[in-house]
């Protein structure tokens, strides 16, 4: 009995280490870099809280497609572009503050839904290759976004305010100022705790999304998505409309990503028109994986842990690199290398796990066939 208990305990420890190897590695990296960076605890706390308010909503938008078995939704970039287009219209209308943020979210919804539906339909035609397909779709839609913003806005789509248009009379400037909207959401109910600014309203909005995700998992549609994520064949036999369910998961993720991008940009106070969305999907996915998520399993806790560890490394790595080598770019190269490396490692581990499961299933089937033949 004691031997079985020891084996089960060892298996649990091994499973825990396998699932949490990436967060543990990042905790170790941050533990080494924090003293070397020379930053005070107050400064780090202030930066982490600010970045959590800025990025967490975007990261949470990735959870629903994972639940539906769609993997890491690189197509969340489509929602980010929808949010940027909405902010351009709001800036043209000169509606600022909280009304401007709410209006931008409302405008982004139909654009996000259209792009999310298109993405979902294409991903249904690329089953088993959803992640790479969504990654390529984000590049394709990025080209359409450039066409709309660079040529159609001001010529086909009316843009009245001259300050956001290029001097030639059409197209949007490289940077759209959001100073009149900057941190309005963050400052409205902000409090200071030990010198750290806490954007209460922003965290309330994030909390509402967390509550929605928890509630949604218990709904009929949420249960259908979980069934589809576990086995599409069984879900189809149970009468679930698999294609429709998968499309809805991508639409919801895209809409939430649009909201998250608006929250992100109002915090920044300006919008780089042509580059703001380019790395947002990559960094959000990396942060989620750093929190211990995988291609097929992710929780709200993974999102919060990931944004904390990932952005803590972003803060301390350049300063630590400058202290060690005299060149802060070493830290910059390191954090970019790690962000892409984490995604690569997660995808490789996922593929290895799938192959191992297929191999084990094949061995079990062969063993069952041999036993059946020997029984005869």
């Amino acid at each position: 009995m004691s031997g079985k208990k020891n084996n089960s305990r060892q298996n649990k420890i091994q499973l825990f280490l396998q699932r949490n190897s990436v967060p543990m590695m990042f905790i170790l990296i941050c533990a080494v870099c924090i003293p070397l960076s020379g930053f005070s605890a107050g400064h780090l706390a202030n930066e982490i809280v600010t970045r959590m308010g800025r990025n967490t909503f975007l990261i949470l938008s990735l959870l629903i497609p994972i639940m539906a078995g769609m993997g890491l939704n690189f197509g969340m970039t489509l929602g980010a572009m929808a949010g940027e287009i909405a902010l351009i219209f709001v800036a043209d209308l000169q509606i600022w503050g909280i009304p401007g943020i709410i209006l931008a979210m409302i405008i982004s919804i139909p654009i996000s839904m259209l792009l999310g539906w298109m993405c979902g339909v294409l991903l249904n035609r690329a089953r088993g290759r959803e992640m790479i397909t969504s990654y390529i779709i984000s590049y394709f839609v990025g080209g359409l976004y450039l066409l709309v913003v660079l040529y159609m806005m001001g010529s086909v789509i009316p843009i009245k305010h001259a300050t956001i248009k290029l001097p030639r009379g059409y197209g949007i400037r490289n940077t759209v100022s959001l100073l009149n909207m900057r941190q309005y959401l963050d400052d409205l109910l902000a409090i200071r705790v030990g010198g750290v600014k806490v954007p209460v309203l922003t965290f309330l909005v994030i909390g509402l999304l967390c509550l929605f995700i928890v509630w949604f998992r218990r709904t009929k549609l949420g249960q259908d998505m979980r069934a589809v994520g576990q086995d599409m064949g069984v879900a189809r036999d149970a009468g679930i409309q698999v294609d429709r369910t998968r499309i809805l998961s991508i639409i919801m993720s895209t809409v939430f990503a649009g909201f998250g991008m608006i929250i992100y940009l109002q915090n920044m106070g300006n919008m780089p028109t042509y580059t703001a969305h380019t790395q947002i999907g990559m960094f959000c996915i990396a942060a989620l994986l750093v929190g211990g998520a995988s291609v097929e399993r992710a929780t709200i806790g993974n999102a919060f842990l990931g944004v904390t560890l990932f952005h803590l490394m972003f803060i301390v790595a350049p300063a630590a690199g400058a202290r060690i080598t005299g060149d802060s770019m070493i830290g910059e190269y390191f954090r970019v290398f790690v962000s892409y490396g984490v995604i690569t490692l997660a995808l490789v581990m996922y593929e290895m796990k799938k192959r191992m499961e297929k191999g084990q299933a094949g061995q079990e089937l062969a063993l069952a066939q041999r036993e059946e033949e020997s029984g005869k």
Side-chain angles (χ1 to χ4, degrees):
M1 285 294 289
S2 61
K4 288 183 179 179
K5 285 183 179 179
N6 288 333
N7 286 335
S8 64
R9 191 178 300 166
Q10 287 176 359
N11 290 335
K12 286 180 181 178
I13 293 171
Q14 187 176 4
L15 183 62
F16 175 81
L17 292 175
Q18 285 177 351
R19 286 184 174 178
N20 298 282
S21 56
V22 176
M24 290 169 68
M25 180 185 72
F26 267 76
I27 290 170
L28 183 62
I29 291 170
C30 292
V32 172
C33 289
I34 286 171
L36 292 172
S37 68
F39 292 132
S40 66
H43 174 77
L44 290 176
N46 212 12
E47 285 291 320
I48 288 297
V49 170
T50 300
R51 288 167 185 256
M52 284 183 71
R54 183 191 302 161
N55 294 280
T56 305
F57 201 103
L58 277 165
I59 297 169
L60 289 169
S61 71
L62 294 165
L63 297 187
I64 291 177
I66 292 174
M67 182 172 68
M70 305 285 281
L72 302 167
N73 181 24
F74 288 91
M76 68 172 292
T77 310
L78 277 60
M81 286 184 270
E84 290 171 25
I85 290 172
L87 283 171
I88 290 171
F89 286 130
V90 168
D92 184 45
L93 294 170
Q94 295 288 288
I95 300 173
W96 304 114
I98 298 297
I101 294 170
I102 294 172
L103 179 61
M105 289 181 174
I106 293 170
I107 294 172
S108 74
I109 291 172
I111 305 171
S112 295
M113 289 180 69
L114 177 63
L115 293 175
W117 173 80
M118 181 199 74
C119 184
V121 170
L122 291 174
L123 293 182
N124 275 340
R125 298 177 178 273
R127 284 190 182 86
R129 297 289 183 272
E130 288 92 349
M131 285 182 286
I132 185 62
T133 306
S134 63
Y135 188 63
I136 299 303
I137 288 171
S138 67
Y139 277 106
F140 166 68
V141 177
L144 295 179
Y145 170 84
L146 291 177
L147 177 67
V148 170
V149 174
L150 194 57
Y151 293 103
M152 295 179 68
M153 285 192 167
S155 57
V156 179
I157 302 169
I159 297 292
K160 297 178 181 178
H161 214 269
T163 58
I164 67 171
K165 285 195 293 187
L166 291 169
R168 66 187 182 187
Y170 63 91
I172 305 300
R173 291 181 182 270
N174 289 341
T175 303
V176 175
S177 175
L178 302 175
L179 282 177
N180 294 322
M181 189 186 286
R182 186 172 185 267
Q183 298 188 7
Y184 265 72
L185 189 66
D186 302 325
D187 292 340
L188 189 59
L189 297 176
I191 60 173
R192 288 200 169 269
V193 179
V196 177
K197 177 186 169 185
V198 181
V200 175
L201 184 58
T202 305
F203 282 122
L204 283 174
V205 173
I206 292 168
L208 286 174
L209 179 58
C210 294
L211 290 173
F212 172 81
I213 291 171
V214 171
W215 168 81
F216 179 74
R217 283 174 175 163
R218 299 174 182 174
T219 64
K220 172 66 167 61
L221 181 57
Q223 294 292 334
D224 288 351
M225 284 186 186
R226 293 173 68 179
V228 170
Q230 289 170 3
D231 193 312
M232 282 190 287
V234 173
R236 189 176 284 107
D237 292 340
I240 297 171
Q241 296 181 1
V242 173
D243 289 355
R244 174 179 172 273
T245 303
R246 284 161 56 92
I247 290 171
L248 286 174
S249 73
I250 294 295
I251 290 174
M252 292 174 68
S253 176
T254 309
V255 170
F256 288 143
F259 292 170
M261 194 64 179
I262 292 166
I263 293 171
Y264 177 91
L265 291 172
Q266 67 83 34
N267 177 271
M268 300 295 289
N270 67 79
M271 187 182 84
T273 308
Y274 303 102
T275 59
H277 57 274
T278 51
Q279 295 295 325
I280 205 73
M282 193 70 67
F283 287 149
C284 288
I285 287 169
L288 186 63
L289 294 172
V290 165
S294 67
V295 173
E296 55 191 11
R297 181 180 175 275
T299 65
I300 293 169
N302 295 143
F304 279 96
L305 178 61
V307 73
T308 302
L309 291 177
F310 189 70
H311 286 280
L312 182 59
M313 186 204 66
F314 258 49
I315 297 163
V316 299
R323 287 286 185 92
I324 296 170
T325 64
D327 185 359
S328 61
M329 287 306 296
I330 296 296
E332 183 69 28
Y333 296 145
F334 173 73
R335 68 186 187 181
V336 172
F337 160 76
V338 168
S339 63
Y340 287 104
V342 165
I343 297 173
T344 305
L345 181 64
L347 298 180
V348 169
M349 289 174 65
Y350 174 65
E351 191 62 31
M352 287 175 61
K353 183 180 176 183
K354 279 207 308 185
R355 291 187 180 185
M356 286 175 62
E357 287 175 351
K358 284 182 181 178
Q360 288 175 355
Q363 289 175 3
E364 290 174 0
L365 181 62
L367 182 62
Q369 287 176 345
R370 280 200 297 269
E371 288 177 352
E372 186 179 348
E373 290 172 0
S374 62
K376 290 180 180 180

